[in-house]
Amino acid sequence: MTMIHEHDFGTPASNKAQQVSLEIDGKSITVPADTSIMRAASMVGIDIPKLCSTDRLKAFGSCRLCVIQVDGRNGTPSSCTTPVADGMKVVTQSEKLDRLRKGVMELYLSDHPAECATGDECEVHGVAKKIGITESRYAATSTHLDIAKDESNPYFTFDSTECIVCNRCVRACDEVQGTFALTIENRGFEARVSSSGTSFLESECVSCGACVQACPTGALTEKTLLTIGAPTSSVITTCAYCGVGCSFKAEMRGDKLVRMVPLKDGGANEGHSCVKGRFAYGYATHSDRITKPMIRNAITDAWKEVSWEEAISFAAAGLKKIQAESGRNAIGGITSSRCTNEEVFVVQKMVRAAFANNNVDTCARVCHSPTGYGLGQAFGTSAGTQDFESVEHSDVILLIGANPTSAHPVFASRMKKALRKGAQLIVVDPRVIALVRTPGVVAAHHLQLMPGTNVAVINALAHVIVTEGLAKRDFIDARCEEKSFKEWEAFISLPENSPEVLEASSRVPAGEIRKAARLFASAPNGSIYYGLGVTEHSQGSTMVMGIANLAMVTGNIGRKGVGVNPLRGQNNVQGSCDMGSFPHELPGYRHISNADTRKIFNDKWGVTLDSEPGMRIPNMFDAALAGNYRGLYVHGEDIAQSDPNTSHVHAALRAMDMVIVQDLFLNETSKFAHVFLPGTSFLEKDGTFTNAERRINRVRPVMKSATGKSEYEVTCDLSTAMGYPMSYGSGAEIMDEIAATTPTFAGVSFKKLDEVGSLQWPCNEANPEGTPTMHLETFMRGLGQFMRTPYVATDEKATRKFPLLLTTGRVLSQYNVGAQTRRTANNIWHTEDILDLHESDAELRGVTDGSWVKLSSRVGETIMRARITDEVPAGVVYTTFHFPESGANVITTDFSDWATNCPEYKVTAVEITPSAQGPGAMIETHIDGDVQLASIIRMANQIAANFPATDAPEVKMAHHIVQFWTPVMIERLHKDVDKSLLSPIALKALEVMLVAK
């Protein structure tokens, strides 16, 4: 491996179409108008000295080293700030220019250390040598060389003695990150970079690393560069945190990772990063890593380290024993959204081919499964429509149930850039998130709805657009089904969907809804971005369909600056869905009942696949408590911490006879495991991740596997031991199989990705270079389908006993269940889960800021520290779920989305009382009765309530159940359910299914 160097052209590229021809040092070049002379010179191989310029930032012209001469013009202008002109003749080297540059450079050296701790990383000495000086003639009477370092940030140091006040760090914070945490204090000789008069740690700095990357000296430097030394090799790979999927250069010195540098050519991030991807990679080599397999007979026994062969044999024997006793459907697996597409593909293949059932699911079940269902119904495919760059072309952005500055910070920086340029923002969220008001950004409207009323708000917005004549009829006539639109138009125009009627539910003033609707409908380009605040509701799927309706009725599909864009939570949650991790779908979102699709895999795998859907994760838990599901392979997910109603999950896991966990660390789920198979970090993987914009990025190994095996090898070994031999020579070989069996990936290969960097699916014969924007001229399903979206209030309501509504989310410094970030220095910012509540709710209960409180719901209770804030309205409380000690999911219930069983994390009725002590042992709720039957009744009635009553709902419900329920669940619905507990529509659906059968 060698060092990968990305060329710096000094100033950003121009996007002008007009071309300009000029001559630089006798070399002719034609470039777009508005290109700087510095960039044009760089393009013909002429490197003009510079310190304040970089192609990630707008030209500034402060260092005065890049001066040039232009024929016919007086003076020596800065090449970075001077645009090219047609016929211009430029000179970059002359005696006069040499003299000017040397004089300026001597001034810099007079107040700069003779030797810099970062060596060649400091460009000052390098530029000085380049222009021919090694020391300054000036004897400074006063310097800044005695200023103390700011070591407060855990990842980088600020050494003001090396600072040349070039403003690059300040501009990076402003232009790239959009936080405005840095400034220049004082003037003249006393001018210094300042983090607003305090330390970096105490400032508004979000530790994205943009300032460190921009700094041309050693003033802002990664601490690892000082402790490990300068890197000697680098590898391009992809971040393993959120769904943005940032590309990085992993820079190594020997076998040690020195730093992660965001890649300028990264399609998703274009050289930017956040604190997690840039710095929080230390978990990969943390001492808590388990690197050897372990087994035990009972979960009360101590773990025993064994060989890979013994662990695999033990696991396979346990699973085969269960199937011999309870049938082939008594076991299953859960794939990981933190692992590569190749690893996920192999796990679902093992379940379908070796386990001989379809009991495979993924963590998307608990986050974006409603996205798959809702967008599939409306558009015909289960993914977002745009690339991230598209947001910079938006005129109005509708942000629903997402907090990008915390959960998707690199994309948030793009969005803030668009907003600072003039785009307007509508925020739909119960909380006052940062983007409602942040430096340089003020939302035009904040529709602060009550948790659980998303569908009420989306319907009210659509009602205004239709009834006020704002619908884009030309788009609708050309691109959408006439019948579905007319039915939806009649539905959405009903008075019950008006902002005035729905204000009572949502608490959003009708006038605000009307203004926001008019703003969005009138935008030349209106885009919609949403997060888990949309999907993790009892009507998550309905809301996604409502969003799709809004995009279609306003004509905002099929070009830049528009679209429907789910912000995915984990690095490969899109990929895990693409790879066939749902129990009803094979790779490429093709239903398991389709005989032609099954034939592709039957022929390739040499098996006969089951045609019936398997169990979803909640179904697995219910079946375990019913005694029918006894074995589970959990691949890289901590379901005991991340899934709702922790008592229910724990009871289900405890009921199983063989739980196999494959992960980096012993986690909450491993407490119930009989086999622990060590996994590999992203730094050891060879494969691909697919991000939220459908971008397939390479993940390349930076270091050897700490376990001696790749994860797909382990899965293959287990499959082989189960009786279905599987073996691959490389990750590339697995991708070739994916491409051969999955039409949307037909043109994808490691070779192609290595050539072009990344691809966005569909990538096939029709789209060989991928598809940045979906549905350009037609939808994947042909014509877009409007879906009626009746608002059905959640069953999880505030009561006298539990009068507050809890909603959950993330913070910037931590990630998901915290397994990775809690093992890094990120803990310095967020050491525990905190409960946010409004001042009035706190005062009513005698709660003070920073005190311990007991948080209780109908399924459990926990203790955490309170923070009194106006970021939540009265009646709503908020917390995160990063720390197992607080166990936020002890509180969340098993209510879920009607169509997909995605848990309703965002609405839980709770009460708060002061507590004299901090968190203790988890208090579990006893799980008794026929849990599976209770779930079947609840789900059946939910499904019935969500199909419009005027649209043969019994037929729709019957079709839905056959598509997504297992045969056992359907049989129990027919035979075991007390029919008096079912709604009239559900009863009619039963009759329809009996007739069809």
Side-chain angles (χ1 to χ4, degrees):
M1 293 186 292
T2 57
M3 286 294 292
I4 299 166
H5 295 284
E6 293 185 277
H7 186 70
D8 189 341
F9 290 91
T11 61
S14 168
N15 58 9
K16 292 290 179 70
Q18 179 189 353
Q19 297 292 301
V20 171
S21 296
L22 69 156
E23 189 178 286
I24 305 175
D25 290 347
K27 294 183 178 181
S28 297
I29 184 172
T30 299
V31 296
D34 285 356
T35 299
S36 72
I37 291 174
M38 173 180 283
R39 186 178 182 93
S42 185
M43 292 169 70
V44 292
I46 299 169
D47 188 16
I48 300 174
K50 63 183 185 297
L51 283 175
C52 73
S53 297
T54 179
D55 56 16
R56 286 278 288 145
L57 303 172
K58 289 183 287 190
F60 195 61
S62 70
C63 75
R64 303 301 299 165
L65 287 169
C66 71
V67 289
I68 44 89
Q69 292 172 296
V70 180
D71 281 6
R73 295 192 189 182
N74 295 326
T76 52
S78 299
S79 61
C80 63
T81 58
T82 306
V84 296
D86 215 29
M88 178 183 275
K89 291 188 177 182
V90 178
V91 174
T92 71
Q93 298 290 338
S94 71
E95 185 180 339
K96 180 178 181 180
L97 294 174
D98 188 48
R99 186 173 66 252
L100 288 172
R101 288 172 183 155
K102 286 182 176 178
V104 170
M105 198 69 237
E106 286 184 275
L107 289 171
Y108 280 123
L109 290 177
S110 70
D111 191 20
H112 195 79
E115 291 186 5
C116 298
T118 55
D120 291 340
E121 289 283 319
C122 178
E123 296 175 26
V124 172
H125 293 291
V127 173
K129 289 175 185 176
K130 181 178 178 181
I131 63 178
I133 64 171
T134 56
E135 58 184 25
S136 174
R137 294 171 296 166
Y138 304 112
T141 57
S142 179
T143 69
H144 299 96
L145 300 181
D146 58 349
I147 298 176
K149 287 184 181 181
D150 181 348
E151 302 270 13
S152 61
N153 189 284
Y155 296 120
F156 61 84
T157 182
F158 175 52
D159 184 356
S160 190
T161 66
E162 296 199 29
C163 178
I164 59 172
V165 199
C166 66
N167 273 266
R168 271 167 63 164
C169 59
V170 178
R171 289 147 54 210
C173 191
D174 296 356
E175 297 174 26
V176 178
Q177 170 56 30
T179 296
F180 298 87
L182 302 180
T183 188
I184 301 294
E185 285 188 346
N186 306 319
R187 301 227 175 178
F189 180 76
E190 295 303 327
R192 290 286 97 186
V193 169
S194 169
S195 49
S196 302
T198 185
S199 70
F200 268 83
L201 185 63
E202 295 169 323
S203 74
E204 295 298 313
C205 171
V206 293
S207 298
C208 68
C211 61
V212 178
Q213 191 171 358
C215 181
T217 74
L220 284 159
T221 302
E222 299 94 339
K223 290 182 176 179
T224 48
L225 189 69
L226 300 174
T227 56
I228 300 175
T232 54
S233 63
S234 50
V235 177
I236 295 174
T237 191
T238 305
C239 179
Y241 280 112
C242 79
V244 173
C246 296
S247 297
F248 281 88
K249 291 182 293 182
E251 296 192 344
M252 308 287 293
R253 185 177 181 87
D255 60 356
K256 290 186 177 180
L257 180 55
V258 178
R259 61 186 176 188
M260 297 288 283
V261 179
L263 188 72
K264 283 199 302 181
D265 285 340
N269 58 318
E270 294 183 355
H272 192 34
S273 60
C274 80
V275 62
K276 294 187 288 288
R278 184 72 156 89
F279 297 116
Y281 51 80
Y283 70 89
T285 52
H286 195 277
S287 59
D288 285 351
R289 275 283 299 270
I290 304 297
T291 58
K292 298 197 182 303
M294 300 188 296
I295 63 173
R296 58 185 177 182
N297 290 312
I299 62 174
T300 53
D301 295 344
W303 284 108
K304 174 189 172 186
E305 275 192 12
V306 295
S307 67
W308 277 109
E309 292 74 18
E310 185 175 352
I312 294 296
S313 176
F314 182 82
L319 294 175
K320 286 194 285 188
K321 181 175 183 290
I322 290 169
Q323 286 189 308
E325 295 171 353
S326 301
R328 62 184 173 84
N329 288 311
I331 64 173
I334 298 174
T335 72
S336 175
S337 292
R338 288 158 44 209
C339 292
T340 65
N341 286 316
E342 294 72 21
E343 291 164 339
V344 170
F345 181 86
V346 170
V347 171
Q348 65 84 33
K349 179 180 177 180
M350 174 183 72
V351 172
R352 299 187 197 279
F355 293 6
N357 61 49
N358 292 313
N359 293 334
V360 61
D361 209 352
T362 187
C363 91
R365 176 66 51 210
V366 300
C367 61
H368 269 285
S369 51
T371 287
Y373 180 86
L375 295 186
Q377 297 293 311
F379 299 160
T381 191
S382 304
T385 62
Q386 314 295 120
D387 59 12
F388 288 142
E389 189 267 345
S390 173
V391 74
E392 298 183 33
H393 303 269
S394 298
D395 299 293
V396 175
I397 301 166
L398 178 57
L399 180 66
I400 312 175
N403 187 13
T405 54
S406 290
H408 304 88
V410 172
F411 173 73
S413 294
R414 269 195 198 269
M415 182 181 283
K416 286 189 286 185
K417 186 186 298 184
L419 295 169
R420 292 196 303 273
K421 287 181 178 177
Q424 297 195 70
L425 176 66
I426 302 166
V427 174
V428 182
D429 203 289
R431 299 172 59 231
V432 183
I433 62 171
L435 285 171
V436 171
R437 182 178 290 274
T438 196
V441 172
V442 178
H445 299 283
H446 177 203
L447 308 183
Q448 194 171 15
L449 76 174
M450 287 298 289
T453 63
N454 284 341
V455 174
V457 169
I458 205 75
N459 282 352
L461 289 166
H463 175 92
V464 174
I465 290 166
V466 169
T467 58
E468 293 190 4
L470 302 173
K472 298 296 190 292
R473 298 283 173 170
D474 290 348
F475 178 90
I476 295 163
D477 293 344
R479 298 287 306 273
C480 303
E481 290 180 351
E482 182 181 5
K483 180 176 181 290
S484 72
F485 173 68
K486 286 184 175 178
E487 290 173 348
W488 175 80
E489 183 182 30
F491 158 78
I492 209 69
S493 299
L494 293 171
E496 66 199 50
N497 288 317
S498 70
E500 288 73 19
V501 170
L502 292 172
E503 181 176 338
S505 300
S506 70
R507 297 194 194 173
V508 180
E512 275 296 292
I513 291 269
R514 289 190 176 275
K515 290 176 187 176
R518 293 165 189 152
L519 176 63
F520 188 77
S522 63
N525 288 324
S527 58
I528 305 172
Y529 293 85
Y530 70 89
L532 302 183
V534 160
T535 56
E536 291 177 346
H537 285 274
S538 63
Q539 281 201 292
S541 292
T542 306
M543 182 60 180
V544 173
M545 292 186 287
I547 288 171
N549 291 338
L550 193 68
M552 289 189 290
V553 77
T554 55
N556 282 307
I557 291 290
R559 62 185 185 277
K560 278 187 176 292
V562 300
V564 175
N565 305 280
L567 297 174
R568 300 276 185 166
Q570 295 202 58
N571 55 299
N572 200 37
V573 70
Q574 178 70 58
S576 68
C577 300
D578 300 342
M579 292 300 103
S581 290
F582 287 138
H584 67 284
E585 285 177 336
L586 287 161
Y589 303 100
R590 292 164 292 169
H591 201 276
I592 192 70
S593 64
N594 186 294
D596 292 337
T597 301
R598 287 202 312 279
K599 185 177 186 307
I600 294 171
F601 291 93
N602 287 341
D603 292 348
K604 187 73 174 176
W605 296 349
V607 297
T608 301
L609 294 177
D610 191 344
S611 64
E612 302 284 357
M615 296 184 204
R616 297 167 171 175
I617 292 172
N619 306 151
M620 296 176 187
F621 296 155
D622 290 343
L625 291 170
N628 303 321
Y629 188 83
R630 298 169 51 198
L632 179 63
Y633 174 81
V634 186
H635 185 219
E637 295 295 336
D638 191 2
I639 54 176
Q641 185 181 340
S642 65
D643 283 40
N645 193 351
T646 304
S647 296
H648 179 223
V649 178
H650 285 193
L653 290 169
R654 205 177 282 117
M656 296 185 201
D657 300 304
M658 176 56 67
V659 175
I660 304 160
V661 168
Q662 184 162 15
D663 218 313
L664 300 178
F665 309 103
L666 288 172
N667 54 26
E668 297 302 298
T669 306
S670 68
K671 293 177 180 178
F672 304 92
H674 306 85
V675 179
F676 187 91
L677 303 175
T680 56
S681 76
F682 79 109
L683 296 173
E684 300 151 60
K685 294 183 186 295
D686 187 13
T688 57
F689 293 152
T690 306
N691 75 351
E693 50 172 1
R694 297 168 286 104
R695 186 182 300 278
I696 307 159
N697 267 321
R698 282 282 278 119
V699 183
R700 296 178 177 87
V702 174
M703 52 186 68
K704 292 180 180 178
S705 167
T707 70
K709 282 181 176 283
S710 66
E711 285 190 35
Y712 70 77
E713 286 181 286
V714 176
T715 305
C716 288
D717 289 347
L718 180 58
S719 177
T720 301
M722 289 290 293
Y724 179 77
M726 263 207 294
S727 177
Y728 296 94
S730 65
E733 193 177 316
I734 303 171
M735 177 53 77
D736 291 342
E737 184 172 318
I738 294 167
T741 54
T742 310
T744 48
F745 276 66
V748 181
S749 67
F750 279 23
K751 182 175 182 293
K752 177 78 170 178
L753 290 168
D754 290 342
E755 289 171 359
V756 301
S758 64
L759 292 163
Q760 289 173 266
W761 68 257
C763 178
N764 45 33
E765 189 175 347
N767 306 280
E769 301 307 314
T771 311
T773 304
M774 296 278 279
H775 318 303
L776 288 174
E777 296 176 0
T778 184
F779 288 96
M780 291 284 282
R781 68 183 306 277
L783 295 174
Q785 180 175 215
F786 282 86
M787 303 295 295
R788 280 167 285 175
T789 54
Y791 167 56
V792 180
T794 174
D795 290 333
E796 184 68 10
K797 296 178 174 66
T799 64
R800 182 174 298 178
K801 186 175 181 182
F802 300 111
L804 303 173
L805 292 179
L806 169 71
T807 189
T808 60
R810 297 180 179 179
V811 294
L812 170 64
S813 59
Q814 297 290 348
Y815 173 72
N816 211 28
V817 297
Q820 294 149 272
T821 45
R822 284 187 283 108
R823 291 177 171 89
T824 71
N826 277 27
N827 283 342
I828 199 169
W829 289 287
H830 195 79
T831 58
E832 60 185 329
D833 292 319
I834 301 289
L835 184 74
D836 285 356
L837 73 162
H838 190 269
E839 182 180 15
S840 61
D841 293 324
E843 186 175 349
L844 186 64
R845 292 161 176 80
V847 172
T848 57
D849 191 56
S851 64
W852 293 110
V853 293
K854 182 169 75 173
L855 179 66
S856 309
S857 75
R858 62 180 174 83
V859 300
E861 62 183 48
T862 188
I863 293 173
M864 54 182 65
R865 205 180 299 276
R867 182 177 80 109
I868 298 173
T869 176
D870 60 2
E871 292 176 8
V872 292
V876 176
V877 295
Y878 167 84
T879 192
T880 54
F881 53 95
H882 303 303
F883 292 83
E885 295 81 7
S886 53
N889 282 322
V890 173
I891 303 302
T892 53
T893 72
D894 45 13
F895 283 164
S896 62
D897 172 51
W898 67 271
T900 65
N901 286 133
C902 180
E904 192 175 32
Y905 290 115
K906 303 304 182 189
V907 188
T908 305
V910 297
E911 179 57 298
I912 297 168
T913 53
S915 175
Q917 58 188 24
M922 188 188 111
I923 301 173
E924 293 197 22
T925 303
H926 181 62
I927 306 295
D928 55 12
D930 193 335
V931 175
Q932 186 181 46
L933 195 63
S935 293
I936 287 171
I937 295 167
R938 185 184 70 249
M939 288 188 293
N941 286 330
Q942 257 194 300
I943 294 168
N946 277 274
F947 283 115
T950 58
D951 193 25
E954 67 277 7
V955 176
K956 295 278 182 75
M957 177 177 174
H959 178 68
H960 182 90
I961 286 176
V962 170
Q963 267 197 312
F964 298 108
W965 285 26
T966 68
V968 170
M969 291 168 64
I970 294 173
E971 184 178 6
R972 293 210 71 188
L973 178 64
H974 282 293
K975 294 182 178 180
D976 299 343
V977 170
D978 178 349
K979 303 304 186 287
S980 68
L981 299 176
L982 295 178
S983 71
I985 291 173
L987 289 171
K988 287 183 180 179
L990 276 179
E991 294 174 11
V992 171
M993 284 190 284
L994 285 172
V995 170
K997 189 175 180 181

